[in-house]
Amino acid sequence: MPHIWLPYAQMKISGDPLPVVATRGSRIVLADGRELIDGIASWWTACHGYNHPHIAAAVRHQLDVMPHVMFGGLAHEPALTLARRLAALMPAGLDRVFFSDSGSVAVEVAMKMAVQYWGNKGLAGRTRFVAFNGGYHGDTTGAMAVSDPVDGMHHAFGGLLPRHLFCDLPRDEESFANLSDVIECHAGEIAGIIVEPLVQGAGGMQFHDVDVLERLRALADRHRILLIFDEIFTGFGRTGAMFASAAVAPDIVTLSKALTGGTLPLAATIARRAVFDAFWSDAPSHALMHGPTYMANPLACAAANASLDLFECEPRLSEVAAIAAALQQRLAPCRGMPRVRDVRVRGAIGAVEVDRIDNIYTLRRRFVAEGVFVRPFGTTVYLTPAFTIAPEELATLTDAVVTVVSEMK
Ligand SMILES: Cc1ncc(COP(=O)(O)O)c(C=O)c1O
């Protein structure tokens, strides 16, 4: 493969990627005819399984009508319908939807909204964010700068990134007091707090409870700063509820990944009306200065509308509950294995944390030999399957995890 540059891979030692020729349901079909059961649903996007006929039909129809038109000065029904439906799923008041084309860009937009919100209100010095150790918000510069400064990519790009304020999530009184102090000290410089609610995903599938979000809401209110929930991973049922924002309402939410059911790239940044109101003025300079070329792509919006149909008419959240129960039961044998530090499950997320992984590429190949596609990172072996996965396919995945983890010496 002389022309391809792969993501997150030391290509000299990673080996070639697996040649894939088709997908269906929870299966990945390889060029040599092998079928792998997919344990991660293409980075958590394909929540209805691959090639769902309802989404495929919606995209095919939209392709004939209008595959794309720019969103500057023009608007179209698939985007307007999607915006209305997303607003209806959000807590009351979060009802302005800005579309973009990837999760990282949705985070950039949320950060720009927060900074410009304060600028439009005459407080231009509020340009920093409170972010959390273990967090991950994307690979673009702004998003990297609010991702974990130790385990993230800061060491390679330190000189490039603005310095934000990193704290531990307020899981107990001590971390809460520390976070309060940091916010107190820097209140005049802070635009907002950004957090992945309930699950820090790419940072290692670390969970926290709703009370952490309640504390963040209280601090944001007390210091009059904005609270941003990055629901790019948690959104659309992954944790068992449709959105974490249903439990505690933020000021801005970012969505992507499962938004189109894993079919096409699309993201949304959804703001509270009060945030939008700060941009509504007679001054052209108060407009939000962002506009991705493919924003609100009609094909992607059609896919997202079809995906929302499926959440309405198929039992996705009960499927997630069944997956959670199966993961709890079937990953339990990993507890007590010599190299295992923790086994945890939330919704359709199962994680086995080990003390170290010596060669990540060998480990990934070992899973392929078991007939599954599982892609551990850091010290975490995790499963985030499609919600539609068949019980016997899920059993194959969990059996593979138990077998491979038991072999770690
Ligand atoms: C919570 C969170 N935010 C942002 C992103 C970045 O999304 P994208 O890869 O679409 O840019 C990710 C991707 O894993 C994510 O999990």
PDB file of all heavy atoms in Angstrom, residues 8 44 102-105 107 136-139 196 201-202 230-233 254 256-257, ligand 1:
ATOM      1  N   TYR A   8      -3.342   6.981  13.351  1.00  0.00           N
ATOM      2  CA  TYR A   8      -2.877   6.486  14.663  1.00  0.00           C
ATOM      3  C   TYR A   8      -1.997   5.245  14.552  1.00  0.00           C
ATOM      4  O   TYR A   8      -2.004   4.423  15.465  1.00  0.00           O
ATOM      5  CB  TYR A   8      -4.058   6.124  15.562  1.00  0.00           C
ATOM      6  CG  TYR A   8      -5.102   7.187  15.753  1.00  0.00           C
ATOM      7  CD1 TYR A   8      -6.416   6.970  15.351  1.00  0.00           C
ATOM      8  CD2 TYR A   8      -4.790   8.398  16.348  1.00  0.00           C
ATOM      9  CE1 TYR A   8      -7.398   7.939  15.544  1.00  0.00           C
ATOM     10  CE2 TYR A   8      -5.756   9.368  16.546  1.00  0.00           C
ATOM     11  CZ  TYR A   8      -7.055   9.125  16.138  1.00  0.00           C
ATOM     12  OH  TYR A   8      -8.016  10.084  16.331  1.00  0.00           O
ATOM     13  N   TRP A  44     -17.973   3.432  16.853  1.00  0.00           N
ATOM     14  CA  TRP A  44     -19.209   3.724  17.592  1.00  0.00           C
ATOM     15  C   TRP A  44     -20.270   4.424  16.753  1.00  0.00           C
ATOM     16  O   TRP A  44     -21.205   5.033  17.284  1.00  0.00           O
ATOM     17  CB  TRP A  44     -18.916   4.556  18.870  1.00  0.00           C
ATOM     18  CG  TRP A  44     -17.576   4.251  19.457  1.00  0.00           C
ATOM     19  CD1 TRP A  44     -17.069   2.998  19.664  1.00  0.00           C
ATOM     20  CD2 TRP A  44     -16.531   5.149  19.846  1.00  0.00           C
ATOM     21  NE1 TRP A  44     -15.796   3.072  20.179  1.00  0.00           N
ATOM     22  CE2 TRP A  44     -15.431   4.375  20.299  1.00  0.00           C
ATOM     23  CE3 TRP A  44     -16.445   6.540  19.889  1.00  0.00           C
ATOM     24  CZ2 TRP A  44     -14.251   4.934  20.763  1.00  0.00           C
ATOM     25  CZ3 TRP A  44     -15.262   7.101  20.351  1.00  0.00           C
ATOM     26  CH2 TRP A  44     -14.176   6.309  20.775  1.00  0.00           C
ATOM     27  N   SER A 102     -17.692  16.816  11.069  1.00  0.00           N
ATOM     28  CA  SER A 102     -17.014  15.806  11.899  1.00  0.00           C
ATOM     29  C   SER A 102     -17.100  16.224  13.358  1.00  0.00           C
ATOM     30  O   SER A 102     -17.368  17.390  13.676  1.00  0.00           O
ATOM     31  CB  SER A 102     -15.548  15.646  11.489  1.00  0.00           C
ATOM     32  OG  SER A 102     -14.793  16.712  12.017  1.00  0.00           O
ATOM     33  N   GLY A 103     -16.848  15.250  14.231  1.00  0.00           N
ATOM     34  CA  GLY A 103     -16.932  15.530  15.655  1.00  0.00           C
ATOM     35  C   GLY A 103     -15.965  16.616  16.094  1.00  0.00           C
ATOM     36  O   GLY A 103     -16.326  17.526  16.836  1.00  0.00           O
ATOM     37  N   SER A 104     -14.729  16.534  15.599  1.00  0.00           N
ATOM     38  CA  SER A 104     -13.737  17.542  16.003  1.00  0.00           C
ATOM     39  C   SER A 104     -14.203  18.942  15.613  1.00  0.00           C
ATOM     40  O   SER A 104     -14.037  19.899  16.387  1.00  0.00           O
ATOM     41  CB  SER A 104     -12.394  17.258  15.318  1.00  0.00           C
ATOM     42  OG  SER A 104     -11.932  15.976  15.642  1.00  0.00           O
ATOM     43  N   VAL A 105     -14.770  19.050  14.436  1.00  0.00           N
ATOM     44  CA  VAL A 105     -15.217  20.378  13.990  1.00  0.00           C
ATOM     45  C   VAL A 105     -16.406  20.839  14.828  1.00  0.00           C
ATOM     46  O   VAL A 105     -16.508  22.023  15.176  1.00  0.00           O
ATOM     47  CB  VAL A 105     -15.516  20.382  12.475  1.00  0.00           C
ATOM     48  CG1 VAL A 105     -16.114  21.716  12.042  1.00  0.00           C
ATOM     49  CG2 VAL A 105     -14.237  20.114  11.692  1.00  0.00           C
ATOM     50  N   VAL A 107     -16.764  20.277  17.896  1.00  0.00           N
ATOM     51  CA  VAL A 107     -16.155  20.780  19.137  1.00  0.00           C
ATOM     52  C   VAL A 107     -15.540  22.158  18.899  1.00  0.00           C
ATOM     53  O   VAL A 107     -15.708  23.084  19.699  1.00  0.00           O
ATOM     54  CB  VAL A 107     -15.103  19.772  19.668  1.00  0.00           C
ATOM     55  CG1 VAL A 107     -14.255  20.379  20.774  1.00  0.00           C
ATOM     56  CG2 VAL A 107     -15.796  18.497  20.152  1.00  0.00           C
ATOM     57  N   TYR A 136     -11.137  13.399  25.863  1.00  0.00           N
ATOM     58  CA  TYR A 136     -10.750  13.423  24.445  1.00  0.00           C
ATOM     59  C   TYR A 136     -11.872  14.112  23.666  1.00  0.00           C
ATOM     60  O   TYR A 136     -13.042  13.759  23.812  1.00  0.00           O
ATOM     61  CB  TYR A 136     -10.544  11.987  23.905  1.00  0.00           C
ATOM     62  CG  TYR A 136     -10.294  11.991  22.409  1.00  0.00           C
ATOM     63  CD1 TYR A 136      -9.046  12.337  21.903  1.00  0.00           C
ATOM     64  CD2 TYR A 136     -11.324  11.705  21.518  1.00  0.00           C
ATOM     65  CE1 TYR A 136      -8.832  12.379  20.529  1.00  0.00           C
ATOM     66  CE2 TYR A 136     -11.108  11.744  20.146  1.00  0.00           C
ATOM     67  CZ  TYR A 136      -9.861  12.083  19.658  1.00  0.00           C
ATOM     68  OH  TYR A 136      -9.653  12.136  18.299  1.00  0.00           O
ATOM     69  N   HIS A 137     -11.484  15.086  22.846  1.00  0.00           N
ATOM     70  CA  HIS A 137     -12.495  15.837  22.102  1.00  0.00           C
ATOM     71  C   HIS A 137     -12.178  15.954  20.625  1.00  0.00           C
ATOM     72  O   HIS A 137     -12.854  16.701  19.911  1.00  0.00           O
ATOM     73  CB  HIS A 137     -12.678  17.231  22.715  1.00  0.00           C
ATOM     74  CG  HIS A 137     -13.150  17.185  24.133  1.00  0.00           C
ATOM     75  ND1 HIS A 137     -14.462  16.915  24.474  1.00  0.00           N
ATOM     76  CD2 HIS A 137     -12.487  17.328  25.315  1.00  0.00           C
ATOM     77  CE1 HIS A 137     -14.592  16.912  25.791  1.00  0.00           C
ATOM     78  NE2 HIS A 137     -13.402  17.158  26.334  1.00  0.00           N
ATOM     79  N   GLY A 138     -11.135  15.273  20.143  1.00  0.00           N
ATOM     80  CA  GLY A 138     -10.882  15.300  18.704  1.00  0.00           C
ATOM     81  C   GLY A 138      -9.444  15.638  18.383  1.00  0.00           C
ATOM     82  O   GLY A 138      -8.618  15.893  19.272  1.00  0.00           O
ATOM     83  N   ASP A 139      -9.154  15.668  17.088  1.00  0.00           N
ATOM     84  CA  ASP A 139      -7.770  15.773  16.613  1.00  0.00           C
ATOM     85  C   ASP A 139      -7.425  17.117  15.982  1.00  0.00           C
ATOM     86  O   ASP A 139      -6.272  17.337  15.600  1.00  0.00           O
ATOM     87  CB  ASP A 139      -7.495  14.672  15.567  1.00  0.00           C
ATOM     88  CG  ASP A 139      -7.526  13.283  16.191  1.00  0.00           C
ATOM     89  OD1 ASP A 139      -7.589  13.181  17.430  1.00  0.00           O
ATOM     90  OD2 ASP A 139      -7.484  12.302  15.434  1.00  0.00           O
ATOM     91  N   GLU A 196     -16.910  15.278  28.438  1.00  0.00           N
ATOM     92  CA  GLU A 196     -17.672  14.156  27.866  1.00  0.00           C
ATOM     93  C   GLU A 196     -18.551  13.642  28.997  1.00  0.00           C
ATOM     94  O   GLU A 196     -18.034  13.073  29.965  1.00  0.00           O
ATOM     95  CB  GLU A 196     -16.729  13.033  27.437  1.00  0.00           C
ATOM     96  CG  GLU A 196     -15.788  13.345  26.302  1.00  0.00           C
ATOM     97  CD  GLU A 196     -14.612  12.354  26.319  1.00  0.00           C
ATOM     98  OE1 GLU A 196     -14.762  11.304  25.693  1.00  0.00           O
ATOM     99  OE2 GLU A 196     -13.573  12.621  26.955  1.00  0.00           O
ATOM    100  N   GLY A 201     -14.521   8.476  26.619  1.00  0.00           N
ATOM    101  CA  GLY A 201     -14.432   7.346  25.696  1.00  0.00           C
ATOM    102  C   GLY A 201     -13.012   7.018  25.284  1.00  0.00           C
ATOM    103  O   GLY A 201     -12.380   6.095  25.826  1.00  0.00           O
ATOM    104  N   ALA A 202     -12.490   7.796  24.341  1.00  0.00           N
ATOM    105  CA  ALA A 202     -11.167   7.484  23.795  1.00  0.00           C
ATOM    106  C   ALA A 202     -10.076   7.592  24.861  1.00  0.00           C
ATOM    107  O   ALA A 202      -8.978   7.078  24.683  1.00  0.00           O
ATOM    108  CB  ALA A 202     -10.859   8.409  22.620  1.00  0.00           C
ATOM    109  N   ASP A 230     -19.829  17.271  25.375  1.00  0.00           N
ATOM    110  CA  ASP A 230     -19.419  16.620  24.131  1.00  0.00           C
ATOM    111  C   ASP A 230     -20.041  15.224  24.134  1.00  0.00           C
ATOM    112  O   ASP A 230     -19.522  14.294  24.753  1.00  0.00           O
ATOM    113  CB  ASP A 230     -17.888  16.562  24.068  1.00  0.00           C
ATOM    114  CG  ASP A 230     -17.391  15.838  22.826  1.00  0.00           C
ATOM    115  OD1 ASP A 230     -18.211  15.239  22.115  1.00  0.00           O
ATOM    116  OD2 ASP A 230     -16.167  15.868  22.587  1.00  0.00           O
ATOM    117  N   GLU A 231     -21.182  15.115  23.435  1.00  0.00           N
ATOM    118  CA  GLU A 231     -21.921  13.835  23.401  1.00  0.00           C
ATOM    119  C   GLU A 231     -21.642  13.071  22.100  1.00  0.00           C
ATOM    120  O   GLU A 231     -22.476  12.280  21.650  1.00  0.00           O
ATOM    121  CB  GLU A 231     -23.424  14.098  23.539  1.00  0.00           C
ATOM    122  CG  GLU A 231     -23.845  14.573  24.915  1.00  0.00           C
ATOM    123  CD  GLU A 231     -24.975  13.731  25.503  1.00  0.00           C
ATOM    124  OE1 GLU A 231     -24.882  12.490  25.446  1.00  0.00           O
ATOM    125  OE2 GLU A 231     -25.942  14.335  25.998  1.00  0.00           O
ATOM    126  N   ILE A 232     -20.484  13.332  21.531  1.00  0.00           N
ATOM    127  CA  ILE A 232     -20.153  12.687  20.256  1.00  0.00           C
ATOM    128  C   ILE A 232     -20.055  11.164  20.433  1.00  0.00           C
ATOM    129  O   ILE A 232     -20.470  10.409  19.566  1.00  0.00           O
ATOM    130  CB  ILE A 232     -18.868  13.326  19.696  1.00  0.00           C
ATOM    131  CG1 ILE A 232     -19.222  14.723  19.194  1.00  0.00           C
ATOM    132  CG2 ILE A 232     -18.224  12.471  18.596  1.00  0.00           C
ATOM    133  CD1 ILE A 232     -18.040  15.635  18.952  1.00  0.00           C
ATOM    134  N   PHE A 233     -19.567  10.732  21.565  1.00  0.00           N
ATOM    135  CA  PHE A 233     -19.535   9.298  21.863  1.00  0.00           C
ATOM    136  C   PHE A 233     -20.806   8.841  22.564  1.00  0.00           C
ATOM    137  O   PHE A 233     -21.403   7.814  22.225  1.00  0.00           O
ATOM    138  CB  PHE A 233     -18.298   8.985  22.716  1.00  0.00           C
ATOM    139  CG  PHE A 233     -18.202   7.554  23.157  1.00  0.00           C
ATOM    140  CD1 PHE A 233     -18.376   6.512  22.269  1.00  0.00           C
ATOM    141  CD2 PHE A 233     -17.930   7.248  24.480  1.00  0.00           C
ATOM    142  CE1 PHE A 233     -18.284   5.183  22.677  1.00  0.00           C
ATOM    143  CE2 PHE A 233     -17.830   5.926  24.902  1.00  0.00           C
ATOM    144  CZ  PHE A 233     -18.017   4.898  23.999  1.00  0.00           C
ATOM    145  N   THR A 254     -22.449  18.834  21.647  1.00  0.00           N
ATOM    146  CA  THR A 254     -21.932  18.406  20.340  1.00  0.00           C
ATOM    147  C   THR A 254     -22.341  16.959  20.084  1.00  0.00           C
ATOM    148  O   THR A 254     -22.308  16.121  20.985  1.00  0.00           O
ATOM    149  CB  THR A 254     -20.393  18.515  20.282  1.00  0.00           C
ATOM    150  OG1 THR A 254     -19.829  17.738  21.339  1.00  0.00           O
ATOM    151  CG2 THR A 254     -19.932  19.941  20.398  1.00  0.00           C
ATOM    152  N   SER A 256     -22.170  13.731  16.902  1.00  0.00           N
ATOM    153  CA  SER A 256     -21.678  13.265  15.600  1.00  0.00           C
ATOM    154  C   SER A 256     -21.773  11.740  15.620  1.00  0.00           C
ATOM    155  O   SER A 256     -22.790  11.213  16.070  1.00  0.00           O
ATOM    156  CB  SER A 256     -20.249  13.762  15.351  1.00  0.00           C
ATOM    157  OG  SER A 256     -19.857  13.462  14.035  1.00  0.00           O
ATOM    158  N   LYS A 257     -20.729  11.013  15.171  1.00  0.00           N
ATOM    159  CA  LYS A 257     -20.672   9.549  15.249  1.00  0.00           C
ATOM    160  C   LYS A 257     -21.991   8.895  14.834  1.00  0.00           C
ATOM    161  O   LYS A 257     -22.254   8.747  13.657  1.00  0.00           O
ATOM    162  CB  LYS A 257     -20.270   9.122  16.660  1.00  0.00           C
ATOM    163  CG  LYS A 257     -18.896   9.672  17.069  1.00  0.00           C
ATOM    164  CD  LYS A 257     -17.849   8.629  17.053  1.00  0.00           C
ATOM    165  CE  LYS A 257     -16.538   9.134  17.588  1.00  0.00           C
ATOM    166  NZ  LYS A 257     -15.415   8.611  16.864  1.00  0.00           N
TER     167      LYS A 257
HETATM  168  C1  LIG B   1     -16.067  12.498  22.637  1.00  0.00           C
HETATM  169  C2  LIG B   1     -15.481  12.730  21.284  1.00  0.00           C
HETATM  170  N1  LIG B   1     -15.385  13.986  20.815  1.00  0.00           N
HETATM  171  C3  LIG B   1     -14.877  14.245  19.595  1.00  0.00           C
HETATM  172  C4  LIG B   1     -14.430  13.229  18.780  1.00  0.00           C
HETATM  173  C5  LIG B   1     -13.856  13.545  17.417  1.00  0.00           C
HETATM  174  O1  LIG B   1     -14.722  13.158  16.416  1.00  0.00           O
HETATM  175  P1  LIG B   1     -14.192  13.010  14.899  1.00  0.00           P
HETATM  176  O2  LIG B   1     -13.260  11.855  14.888  1.00  0.00           O
HETATM  177  O3  LIG B   1     -15.444  12.771  14.103  1.00  0.00           O
HETATM  178  O4  LIG B   1     -13.539  14.293  14.547  1.00  0.00           O
HETATM  179  C6  LIG B   1     -14.497  11.912  19.232  1.00  0.00           C
HETATM  180  C7  LIG B   1     -13.996  10.798  18.404  1.00  0.00           C
HETATM  181  O5  LIG B   1     -13.665   9.728  18.872  1.00  0.00           O
HETATM  182  C8  LIG B   1     -15.038  11.648  20.513  1.00  0.00           C
HETATM  183  O6  LIG B   1     -15.132  10.395  21.000  1.00  0.00           O
END
